[in-house]
Amino acid sequence: MKEIILLSDLYFKQLKNNLSQINKEKVIKFLLFLFFSVIFFPLVYYLFFFIFKHFYTAQIIGPLLLKKLLYTFYMTFTVMIILSSIVAAIPVLYFSKEMDFLFSCPIKIESIFFIKYIKVIIDACWMIFMLIIPIFIAYSRVIKIDFFQYIFIVLSHIPFFIICVSVGLFLTIVLIKYFPGEGVRNVVVAIYGIFLVFFIIYFRMLQPEKITGASANEIMEFVRYLKTPDSIFFPHSHIMKIINNISYSGILAGISPFILFLSISIIFFAIIILIAKFWYFDGFAKKGVYNKRKIFIKSYELKKTSIFMAQLKKDIKYFVRDTTQWIQIVFLFGIIFIYLFNIFKLPVDLYNLREFIYFLNIGFIGLVMSAVGARLILPVISIEGRGFWIYKIIPDTIKNYILYKIIIYGSFLVGLGIFVAIISLGMLKTSLFINIITIFSTFLINFVIVGTGIGLGAYFADFKIKNPEDLITGLPGLFYMLITFLFVGLLLVAEAGIVKDYYFTRLVKVKEFHIINYLPNFILISLVAFFLFFSSLFIGIKRLEKLEI
Amino acid sequence: MIQLINLTKKFGNTLAVDNLNLKIEKGEIFGFLGPNGAGKTTTIKMMCGLISMTEGDILIDGIDIKKDPVNYKKKFAYIPDKPFIFEKLKGIEYLEFIANLYDVEKEKFRKLLEKYVDLFEMGSYLNDFIESYSHGMSQKLLIVGSLIHSPEVFILDEPMVGLDPKSIRTLKEEFLNLSKEGVTVFMSTHSIEIAEDVCTTVGIIDKGKLIETGNLKFIKEKNKSEKLEQVFFKLTEEK
């Protein structure tokens, strides 16, 4: 116990010192965090209030539907926490800088593990905990439960987190005992991303909008799809029992299952500490060991290529080998799939307005592609990491380096955007005019996304950060999103009048519609796009040229 | 071959390199000595274009870094003190990447790869990911990567740090051989022993100022010392 208090004190002091050293960057980060929290909480609250109400007010079986929905969520949370605790545990348990020091001190392994366990539980669960707060405020309002019931429900997540994290840590200890640490982490990160995307696609394909005005048979069919495995061996079954008891029978009815759940979590905790006592150090001592392979290098033939192809090959290899990059692709296709599915499932009664809806969807494509660009394009320069110095000393210019990135990533993103637009236009069978406007707009939007993403990515390039995706959540991401969203808005404003006139002309047929009359609008928006593209690249190139490494 | 003219670098109010003038002839191995924080790495980084200079000019083979940076960069190879390389590449892929960036011919690549992989005993590592390399292995990969495109000038920042004794000896011998072929080496080092073994001329820098330069014999005679170490301490401690 004395060791745990000593170690806790050490980490607490580090945290205190870190917090007390206030600098500009920390203040900006805190303000950004505050800003996003202010947006995040009401957004989650209203989203879930809408979903819960939509389900709860379904005829006859509303409460059952809501329970089924929560079961699905908790099953997802269980998998998410287990996977994210593995992702969080590997660096905390095996790759922290202080680990060698801690293991060289006369401290029991279980004491070190205990402290690390607390860190992992915070790292793996804080986001879900932050989600749970607004979700259950929405739930309380729909079900009409009081404040104490709400607090009890929120607190009953503690054993849920302990059990899920303990399972995650058990898997981590076993996996690291037999496989290299970084490799395990990369694979789990990939599985985590793929799982999330498939869950979102699965939920969308359930078509929850069908509940409104559905027949009893259709609702039963929906419930059948929401079926989740239910057993006393699953933590989500226990927490759901507690939530249901508290919600529908009062606080007293929740106490007994809560005590049972808490006891199980304590047992899990004790077991994982015991396992760690015997296996944790074994894994630590072997972490990251790779088997060396011998090759007959003398027969190696240089595959001669241009500088551009050499960079392309390097970027592709990096992409394939960095599993965090695969997730971008999975997310990308997930988003595109949902978008196309929405178009495909456009209600029949809106069919006559399909072209107008599609025009609005240009904006939606823009927002989706902006999000894709933020994940895929913004970090491409920072991804080079500390090896970027090589580009500064080779006999080539930074301008060319940026040009290669534009060709590699730009052609991919613009091509993808236009491909998605063509597929959806084909589904909607829109007129030639709308087809042209859509392709033109999609090209311009992606053009701006590529220029702004690479330009700002270069301007804010940080080769020392561990995860270049941090750019997305920081100032660079904010600027990028602001610029691309504003451009999408401006584009819609510039084209709205044209589309409106086109429809009125077709509907009323009072005057001829000549696209040539609207040429100034197209020229103006194209000029804005060119300005954003080139100005972003200009500041990015200048910054990289002057960058001191 | 290398000319530094009135080279100055300021970081805010701090003068890191103060009006440095140097001329290094073709085939020379120049040892750049100085205590920690003297301005060695800053000078080298300016020579490689990694940081900008506040004032002055740098020329290699008469090509000015400011006027023609692309042709200037064709002339040299740089080995930094911290071997940061693209970690997700395999060793052989990094060498191939470098060869393509410098437009190395296939046959030349094959011959040099064979030579240097054997010399630095890297064959069994080249198919591994760089992220699994030790500091010394990464350093050796950087060295082979710089040798593979046969530059006219080598700019080296503490190249021996992290290398095993055998690799240090190999590298020293290789630079001595290359200098006979007319290759110029500019090398910063903390090791006076290495400087005495390899360098034909040395420069001693302290607090951003070049306090002594010339060939080893001349410096020793001028400072009435038998060992370079004595000269180094005399000059840096006097200041």
Coordinates of all heavy atoms in Angstrom, one line a residue, chain B residues 95-151:
Chain B
L95 N 17.4 2.7 -48.8 CA 18.5 2.8 -49.7 C 18.0 3.0 -51.2 O 18.6 3.8 -51.9 CB 19.4 1.6 -49.6 CG 20.2 1.4 -48.3 CD1 21.0 0.2 -48.3 CD2 21.0 2.7 -47.9
E96 N 17.0 2.3 -51.5 CA 16.5 2.4 -52.9 C 15.8 3.8 -53.1 O 16.0 4.4 -54.2 CB 15.4 1.3 -53.1 CG 15.0 1.2 -54.6 CD 14.2 -0.1 -54.8 OE1 13.1 -0.2 -54.3 OE2 14.7 -1.0 -55.5
F97 N 15.1 4.2 -52.1 CA 14.5 5.6 -52.1 C 15.6 6.6 -52.3 O 15.4 7.5 -53.2 CB 13.8 5.8 -50.8 CG 13.1 7.1 -50.6 CD1 12.0 7.5 -51.4 CD2 13.5 8.0 -49.6 CE1 11.4 8.7 -51.2 CE2 12.9 9.2 -49.4 CZ 11.8 9.6 -50.2
I98 N 16.7 6.5 -51.5 CA 17.7 7.5 -51.7 C 18.4 7.4 -53.1 O 18.6 8.5 -53.7 CB 18.8 7.3 -50.5 CG1 18.2 7.6 -49.2 CG2 20.1 8.1 -50.8 CD1 17.9 9.1 -48.9
A99 N 18.6 6.2 -53.5 CA 19.2 6.0 -54.8 C 18.4 6.7 -55.9 O 18.9 7.3 -56.8 CB 19.4 4.5 -55.1
N100 N 17.1 6.5 -55.8 CA 16.2 7.1 -56.8 C 16.2 8.7 -56.7 O 16.1 9.4 -57.7 CB 14.8 6.5 -56.8 CG 14.8 5.2 -57.5 OD1 15.3 5.0 -58.5 ND2 14.1 4.2 -56.8
L101 N 16.2 9.2 -55.5 CA 16.2 10.6 -55.3 C 17.5 11.2 -55.9 O 17.4 12.3 -56.4 CB 16.2 11.0 -53.8 CG 14.9 10.7 -53.0 CD1 15.0 11.2 -51.6 CD2 13.7 11.4 -53.7
Y102 N 18.6 10.5 -55.8 CA 19.9 11.0 -56.4 C 20.2 10.5 -57.8 O 21.3 10.6 -58.2 CB 21.0 10.8 -55.4 CG 21.0 11.7 -54.2 CD1 20.3 11.3 -53.0 CD2 21.6 12.9 -54.2 CE1 20.2 12.1 -51.9 CE2 21.6 13.7 -53.1 CZ 20.9 13.3 -51.9 OH 20.8 14.1 -50.8
D103 N 19.2 9.8 -58.3 CA 19.4 9.3 -59.7 C 20.6 8.4 -59.9 O 21.4 8.6 -60.8 CB 19.4 10.5 -60.7 CG 19.0 10.1 -62.1 OD1 18.4 9.0 -62.2 OD2 19.4 10.8 -63.0
V104 N 20.8 7.5 -59.0 CA 22.0 6.6 -59.1 C 21.7 5.5 -60.1 O 20.6 5.0 -60.2 CB 22.2 5.9 -57.7 CG1 23.4 4.9 -57.7 CG2 22.4 6.9 -56.6
E105 N 22.7 5.2 -60.9 CA 22.6 4.2 -62.0 C 22.5 2.8 -61.3 O 23.1 2.5 -60.3 CB 23.8 4.2 -62.9 CG 23.9 5.4 -63.8 CD 22.6 5.6 -64.6 OE1 22.1 4.6 -65.2 OE2 22.2 6.7 -64.8
K106 N 21.7 1.9 -62.0 CA 21.5 0.5 -61.5 C 22.8 -0.2 -61.2 O 22.9 -0.8 -60.1 CB 20.7 -0.3 -62.5 CG 19.2 -0.3 -62.4 CD 18.6 -1.2 -63.4 CE 17.1 -1.4 -63.1 NZ 16.5 -2.4 -63.9
E107 N 23.7 -0.2 -62.1 CA 24.9 -1.0 -62.0 C 25.8 -0.4 -60.8 O 26.3 -1.2 -60.0 CB 25.7 -0.9 -63.3 CG 26.9 -1.8 -63.4 CD 26.6 -3.3 -63.0 OE1 25.4 -3.8 -63.2 OE2 27.5 -3.9 -62.5
K108 N 25.8 0.9 -60.7 CA 26.6 1.6 -59.7 C 26.0 1.2 -58.3 O 26.7 0.9 -57.3 CB 26.6 3.1 -59.9 CG 27.5 3.8 -59.0 CD 27.4 5.3 -59.4 CE 27.8 6.2 -58.2 NZ 27.5 7.6 -58.5
F109 N 24.7 1.2 -58.2 CA 23.9 0.9 -57.0 C 24.3 -0.5 -56.6 O 24.6 -0.8 -55.4 CB 22.4 1.1 -57.2 CG 21.6 0.7 -56.0 CD1 21.4 1.6 -55.0 CD2 21.0 -0.5 -55.9 CE1 20.7 1.3 -53.9 CE2 20.3 -0.9 -54.7 CZ 20.1 0.1 -53.8
R110 N 24.2 -1.4 -57.5 CA 24.5 -2.8 -57.2 C 25.9 -3.0 -56.6 O 26.1 -3.6 -55.6 CB 24.3 -3.7 -58.5 CG 24.2 -5.2 -58.2 CD 24.2 -6.0 -59.5 NE 25.4 -5.7 -60.3 CZ 26.7 -6.2 -60.0 NH1 26.8 -7.0 -59.0 NH2 27.7 -5.9 -60.8
K111 N 26.9 -2.4 -57.3 CA 28.3 -2.5 -56.9 C 28.5 -1.9 -55.5 O 29.1 -2.5 -54.6 CB 29.2 -1.8 -57.9 CG 29.5 -2.7 -59.1 CD 30.1 -2.0 -60.2 CE 31.6 -1.7 -60.0 NZ 32.2 -1.0 -61.2
L112 N 28.0 -0.7 -55.3 CA 28.2 0.0 -54.0 C 27.5 -0.6 -52.9 O 27.9 -0.7 -51.8 CB 27.8 1.5 -54.1 CG 28.7 2.4 -55.0 CD1 28.1 3.8 -55.1 CD2 30.1 2.4 -54.5
L113 N 26.2 -1.1 -53.2 CA 25.4 -1.8 -52.2 C 26.2 -3.0 -51.7 O 26.4 -3.2 -50.5 CB 24.1 -2.2 -52.7 CG 23.1 -2.9 -51.8 CD1 22.6 -1.8 -50.7 CD2 21.9 -3.5 -52.5
E114 N 26.7 -3.8 -52.6 CA 27.5 -5.0 -52.3 C 28.7 -4.6 -51.4 O 28.9 -5.3 -50.4 CB 28.0 -5.6 -53.6 CG 28.2 -7.1 -53.5 CD 28.6 -7.6 -54.9 OE1 27.8 -7.5 -55.8 OE2 29.7 -8.2 -55.0
K115 N 29.4 -3.6 -51.8 CA 30.6 -3.2 -51.1 C 30.3 -2.7 -49.7 O 30.8 -3.3 -48.7 CB 31.3 -2.0 -51.9 CG 32.5 -1.5 -51.2 CD 33.1 -0.3 -52.0 CE 34.1 0.4 -51.2 NZ 34.6 1.6 -51.8
Y116 N 29.3 -1.8 -49.5 CA 29.1 -1.2 -48.2 C 28.3 -2.1 -47.3 O 28.5 -2.0 -46.1 CB 28.5 0.2 -48.4 CG 29.4 1.2 -49.0 CD1 29.1 1.9 -50.2 CD2 30.7 1.4 -48.4 CE1 30.0 2.7 -50.8 CE2 31.6 2.3 -49.0 CZ 31.3 2.9 -50.2 OH 32.2 3.8 -50.7
V117 N 27.4 -2.9 -47.8 CA 26.7 -3.8 -47.0 C 27.6 -4.8 -46.3 O 27.5 -5.1 -45.2 CB 25.5 -4.4 -47.8 CG1 25.0 -5.7 -47.1 CG2 24.4 -3.4 -48.0
D118 N 28.6 -5.2 -47.1 CA 29.6 -6.1 -46.6 C 30.5 -5.4 -45.5 O 30.7 -5.9 -44.4 CB 30.5 -6.7 -47.7 CG 29.8 -7.9 -48.3 OD1 28.8 -8.4 -47.8 OD2 30.3 -8.3 -49.4
L119 N 30.9 -4.2 -45.9 CA 31.8 -3.5 -45.0 C 31.2 -3.2 -43.7 O 31.9 -3.3 -42.6 CB 32.2 -2.1 -45.7 CG 33.5 -2.1 -46.5 CD1 33.7 -0.7 -47.1 CD2 34.7 -2.4 -45.6
F120 N 29.9 -2.8 -43.7 CA 29.3 -2.4 -42.4 C 28.4 -3.6 -41.9 O 27.6 -3.3 -41.0 CB 28.4 -1.1 -42.6 CG 29.3 0.1 -42.8 CD1 29.5 0.6 -44.1 CD2 29.8 0.7 -41.7 CE1 30.3 1.7 -44.3 CE2 30.6 1.9 -41.9 CZ 30.9 2.3 -43.2
E121 N 28.5 -4.7 -42.5 CA 27.8 -5.9 -42.0 C 26.3 -5.7 -41.8 O 25.8 -5.9 -40.7 CB 28.5 -6.4 -40.7 CG 29.9 -6.8 -40.9 CD 30.7 -7.2 -39.6 OE1 30.2 -6.8 -38.6 OE2 31.7 -7.8 -39.7
M122 N 25.7 -5.2 -42.8 CA 24.3 -4.9 -42.7 C 23.3 -5.9 -43.4 O 22.1 -5.7 -43.3 CB 24.0 -3.5 -43.3 CG 24.7 -2.4 -42.5 SD 23.9 -0.9 -42.5 CE 22.2 -1.2 -42.1
G123 N 23.9 -6.8 -44.1 CA 23.1 -7.7 -45.0 C 21.9 -8.3 -44.3 O 20.8 -8.3 -44.8
S124 N 22.1 -8.8 -43.0 CA 21.0 -9.5 -42.4 C 19.9 -8.5 -41.8 O 18.9 -9.0 -41.3 CB 21.5 -10.4 -41.3 OG 22.3 -9.6 -40.4
Y125 N 20.2 -7.2 -41.9 CA 19.2 -6.3 -41.3 C 18.4 -5.5 -42.3 O 17.4 -4.9 -42.0 CB 20.0 -5.2 -40.5 CG 20.6 -5.7 -39.2 CD1 21.9 -6.2 -39.3 CD2 19.9 -5.8 -38.0 CE1 22.5 -6.7 -38.1 CE2 20.5 -6.4 -36.9 CZ 21.8 -6.8 -37.0 OH 22.4 -7.3 -35.8
L126 N 18.9 -5.6 -43.6 CA 18.3 -4.7 -44.6 C 16.8 -5.0 -44.9 O 16.1 -4.2 -45.4 CB 19.1 -4.6 -45.9 CG 20.4 -3.8 -45.8 CD1 21.1 -3.7 -47.1 CD2 20.1 -2.4 -45.3
N127 N 16.4 -6.2 -44.6 CA 15.0 -6.5 -44.9 C 14.1 -6.3 -43.7 O 13.0 -6.7 -43.7 CB 14.9 -8.0 -45.4 CG 13.7 -8.2 -46.4 OD1 13.3 -7.2 -47.0 ND2 13.2 -9.4 -46.5
D128 N 14.7 -5.7 -42.6 CA 13.9 -5.4 -41.4 C 13.4 -4.0 -41.5 O 14.0 -3.1 -42.2 CB 14.7 -5.6 -40.2 CG 15.0 -7.0 -39.9 OD1 14.3 -7.9 -40.4 OD2 16.0 -7.3 -39.2
F129 N 12.3 -3.7 -40.8 CA 11.8 -2.3 -40.7 C 12.8 -1.5 -39.9 O 13.3 -1.9 -38.8 CB 10.4 -2.3 -40.0 CG 9.4 -2.9 -40.9 CD1 8.8 -4.1 -40.7 CD2 9.0 -2.2 -42.1 CE1 7.9 -4.7 -41.5 CE2 8.0 -2.7 -42.9 CZ 7.5 -3.9 -42.7
I130 N 12.9 -0.2 -40.3 CA 13.9 0.7 -39.6 C 13.5 0.9 -38.2 O 14.3 1.1 -37.3 CB 14.0 2.0 -40.4 CG1 14.6 1.7 -41.8 CG2 14.9 3.0 -39.7 CD1 14.6 2.9 -42.7
E131 N 12.2 0.8 -37.9 CA 11.7 1.1 -36.5 C 12.3 0.0 -35.5 O 12.3 0.3 -34.3 CB 10.2 1.1 -36.5 CG 9.5 -0.2 -36.8 CD 8.0 -0.1 -36.9 OE1 7.5 1.0 -36.7 OE2 7.4 -1.1 -37.3
S132 N 12.7 -1.1 -36.1 CA 13.3 -2.1 -35.2 C 14.8 -2.0 -35.0 O 15.4 -2.7 -34.3 CB 13.0 -3.5 -35.7 OG 13.7 -3.8 -36.9
Y133 N 15.4 -1.0 -35.7 CA 16.9 -0.8 -35.6 C 17.3 -0.2 -34.3 O 16.6 0.7 -33.8 CB 17.4 0.1 -36.7 CG 17.4 -0.6 -38.1 CD1 16.8 -1.8 -38.4 CD2 18.2 0.1 -39.1 CE1 16.9 -2.3 -39.7 CE2 18.2 -0.5 -40.4 CZ 17.6 -1.7 -40.7 OH 17.7 -2.2 -41.9
S134 N 18.5 -0.5 -33.9 CA 19.1 0.2 -32.8 C 19.7 1.6 -33.3 O 19.7 1.8 -34.5 CB 20.3 -0.6 -32.2 OG 21.3 -0.7 -33.2
H135 N 20.1 2.4 -32.4 CA 20.7 3.7 -32.8 C 21.9 3.5 -33.8 O 22.0 4.1 -34.8 CB 21.2 4.5 -31.5 CG 21.7 5.8 -31.8 ND1 23.0 6.0 -32.3 CD2 21.2 7.1 -31.8 CE1 23.3 7.3 -32.4 NE2 22.1 7.9 -32.1
G136 N 22.7 2.5 -33.4 CA 23.9 2.3 -34.2 C 23.6 1.7 -35.6 O 24.2 2.1 -36.6
M137 N 22.6 0.9 -35.6 CA 22.1 0.3 -36.9 C 21.6 1.4 -37.8 O 21.8 1.5 -39.0 CB 21.1 -0.8 -36.7 CG 21.6 -2.1 -36.3 SD 22.9 -2.8 -37.3 CE 22.1 -2.9 -38.9
S138 N 20.8 2.3 -37.2 CA 20.2 3.4 -38.0 C 21.3 4.3 -38.5 O 21.3 4.8 -39.7 CB 19.2 4.3 -37.1 OG 18.2 3.5 -36.6
Q139 N 22.3 4.5 -37.7 CA 23.4 5.4 -38.1 C 24.2 4.7 -39.3 O 24.6 5.4 -40.2 CB 24.4 5.5 -36.9 CG 25.4 6.6 -37.0 CD 24.8 8.0 -37.0 OE1 23.7 8.2 -36.8 NE2 25.7 9.0 -37.2
K140 N 24.4 3.4 -39.2 CA 25.1 2.7 -40.3 C 24.3 2.8 -41.6 O 24.8 2.9 -42.6 CB 25.3 1.2 -39.9 CG 26.5 1.1 -38.9 CD 27.0 -0.3 -39.0 CE 26.5 -1.2 -37.9 NZ 27.2 -2.6 -37.9
L141 N 22.9 2.7 -41.4 CA 22.1 2.7 -42.6 C 22.2 4.1 -43.3 O 22.3 4.2 -44.5 CB 20.6 2.5 -42.2 CG 19.6 2.4 -43.4 CD1 19.9 1.2 -44.3 CD2 18.2 2.4 -42.9
L142 N 22.2 5.2 -42.4 CA 22.4 6.5 -42.9 C 23.7 6.7 -43.7 O 23.8 7.3 -44.7 CB 22.3 7.5 -41.8 CG 21.0 8.1 -41.4 CD1 21.1 9.0 -40.2 CD2 20.4 8.9 -42.5
I143 N 24.8 6.1 -43.1 CA 26.1 6.2 -43.7 C 26.1 5.5 -45.0 O 26.6 6.0 -46.0 CB 27.2 5.5 -42.7 CG1 27.3 6.4 -41.5 CG2 28.5 5.4 -43.4 CD1 28.1 5.8 -40.3
V144 N 25.6 4.2 -45.1 CA 25.5 3.5 -46.4 C 24.7 4.3 -47.4 O 25.0 4.5 -48.5 CB 24.9 2.1 -46.2 CG1 24.8 1.4 -47.5 CG2 25.9 1.3 -45.3
G145 N 23.6 4.9 -46.9 CA 22.7 5.7 -47.8 C 23.4 6.9 -48.3 O 23.2 7.3 -49.5
S146 N 24.4 7.5 -47.5 CA 25.1 8.7 -48.0 C 26.2 8.2 -49.0 O 26.5 8.9 -50.0 CB 25.7 9.5 -46.9 OG 26.7 8.7 -46.2
L147 N 26.8 7.1 -48.7 CA 27.9 6.6 -49.6 C 27.4 6.1 -51.0 O 28.1 6.2 -52.0 CB 28.7 5.5 -48.9 CG 29.5 5.9 -47.7 CD1 29.9 4.7 -46.8 CD2 30.8 6.6 -48.2
I148 N 26.1 5.6 -51.0 CA 25.6 5.0 -52.2 C 25.4 5.9 -53.3 O 25.4 5.5 -54.5 CB 24.3 4.3 -51.8 CG1 24.1 3.0 -52.6 CG2 23.0 5.1 -52.0 CD1 24.3 1.8 -51.8
H149 N 25.3 7.2 -53.1 CA 25.1 8.1 -54.2 C 26.4 8.9 -54.5 O 26.4 9.9 -55.3 CB 23.9 9.1 -54.1 CG 23.9 10.0 -52.9 ND1 24.4 11.2 -53.0 CD2 23.5 9.8 -51.6 CE1 24.3 11.8 -51.8 NE2 23.7 11.0 -51.0
S150 N 27.6 8.5 -54.0 CA 28.9 9.0 -54.3 C 29.0 10.5 -54.4 O 29.2 11.1 -55.4 CB 29.4 8.4 -55.6 OG 29.1 7.1 -55.7
P151 N 28.7 11.2 -53.3 CA 28.8 12.7 -53.3 C 30.2 13.2 -53.4 O 31.2 12.4 -53.0 CB 28.1 13.1 -52.0 CG 28.4 12.0 -51.1 CD 28.4 10.7 -51.9

